[in-house]
Amino acid sequence: MTLPNLATTITPPGSILGIDTDAWARIGDSHMAALAVADLAVLMIQPTGMELPRAASVSMAFQTMTAMGMALPPLLVDLTRTNPSAASPRETMQNLREAGETVLDGTLLNSDARGGYAQALGKAPELVPFGEISHLFREFGHTAWRLETRKGYASDRSSPKWARFLAGEDITEDPDNSWRENVRAQTAQGKRFERVRLLDEPATQGQEFLLASGLGNVAAGEDIRHLTHTQAQDLRLPEYDFWLFDSRVVARFAFDEDDTTLGVYVTEDPAEVLAACQARDAAWHHATRTEDVVRQVRSTV
């Protein structure tokens, strides 16, 4: 059966059929056959020096079909960044648009790109309530590691300790809460709770609150360290919060504009996990312990 007949046969009325021609692995006939029956061609590429030349096979198919006088579908170029913190590829986009191409700038999570970009089209990542991962903080095997990147958190501002902090009261030695009780229980088994918090220069009010309250978490057994945002940028750390459990499971946070946690995206995708592990290793090597940061802050007051 020819591709046009097959496409007609397997596409339900009123539906869209997507064909992945695997642009990185194949050239020639597979592209031309798909383009011949397509109403729209979407080229999904990452805007990097390594990725852009790989689009040549699709470009060659267009040129060959043009030379043969064949009808061509409109081409849409989607500059798809699988790194959520990557900068917008303005220069690449401008060059493509000046060449007459229609270009979109998108971000696609690595976990949703598994098996090919085309399979990820239209697939929304699953956002789950933070409470659904509460068991991970008890069941992890050896390490729970957190990166905190924000200027403040709504959960802190709604805490009873917030008003006391603003009033100048000491909040460093509050009684244990459920979080600290679990930290003590897990660390007593030899497990590790670790986190790196990013600080502005000077620190925001929300970050100063975490410095003060964090001493109680450290006393419970957490190892909390800090980097400045400038250091984080130099290390190319992600610009989003996440937990990493046992170098195997990543829970990436989603926040609204008021710093309220909307939920987390949970994945075991190898690319996502590897990126989180690399961020952890780089951050941990350069980060400063909470006690030292607090002493530095106090010495400047």
Side-chain angles (χ1 to χ4, degrees), residues 256-267:
D256 67 13
E257 59 185 10
D258 297 318
D259 306 312
T260 300
T261 301
L262 300 176
V264 288
Y265 301 105
V266 183
T267 181

Side-chain angles (χ1 to χ4, degrees), residues 41-243:
V42 181
L43 177 59
M44 302 182 74
I45 54 176
Q46 297 190 61
T48 66
M50 181 182 71
E51 294 287 338
L52 289 173
R54 296 183 180 182
S57 59
V58 175
S59 177
M60 289 175 60
F62 265 85
Q63 293 174 15
T64 301
M65 294 176 69
T66 299
M68 296 172 62
M70 300 175 64
L72 290 169
L75 174 64
L76 174 64
V77 180
D78 188 354
L79 296 179
T80 304
R81 296 167 289 144
T82 56
N83 178 356
S85 64
S88 178
R90 293 184 179 88
E91 183 177 353
T92 300
M93 182 183 299
Q94 181 178 350
N95 291 340
L96 288 169
R97 285 177 173 166
E98 289 177 353
E101 307 293 354
T102 302
V103 187
L104 299 179
D105 177 17
T107 301
L108 181 70
L109 295 180
N110 281 330
S111 57
D112 297 308
R114 187 190 306 170
Y117 289 134
Q119 295 181 27
L121 277 170
K123 179 182 177 182
E126 183 180 2
L127 184 68
V128 300
F130 181 73
E132 289 194 11
I133 68 167
S134 60
H135 63 97
L136 293 176
F137 296 97
R138 300 184 302 272
E139 298 172 1
F140 70 95
H142 51 80
T143 310
W145 192 90
R146 169 76 184 268
L147 178 66
E148 295 183 7
T149 65
R150 302 183 70 82
K151 296 178 180 295
Y153 297 86
S155 57
D156 292 334
R157 296 192 293 270
S158 63
S159 165
K161 290 193 297 184
W162 182 256
R164 294 170 47 214
F165 166 73
L166 295 181
E169 295 183 25
D170 184 1
I171 62 171
T172 61
E173 298 182 0
D174 276 13
D176 277 358
N177 51 28
S178 60
W179 175 265
R180 292 175 182 172
E181 290 172 356
N182 182 59
V183 169
R184 293 186 188 277
Q186 302 307 320
T187 54
Q189 301 176 45
K191 302 179 185 180
R192 303 198 308 274
F193 270 96
E194 302 170 343
R195 68 174 91 200
V196 168
R197 288 171 168 163
L198 303 189
L199 294 174
D200 285 49
E201 299 172 285
T204 66
Q205 194 173 55
Q207 292 163 355
E208 290 177 344
F209 172 84
L210 288 173
L211 273 173
S213 63
L215 290 172
N217 287 25
V218 171
E222 276 197 67
D223 191 347
I224 304 177
R225 305 186 184 189
H226 297 80
L227 289 170
T228 66
H229 274 285
T230 300
Q231 289 175 300
Q233 290 170 1
D234 291 341
L235 295 170
R236 298 187 177 183
L237 297 184
E239 297 177 359
Y240 53 88
D241 287 32
F242 66 85
W243 277 102

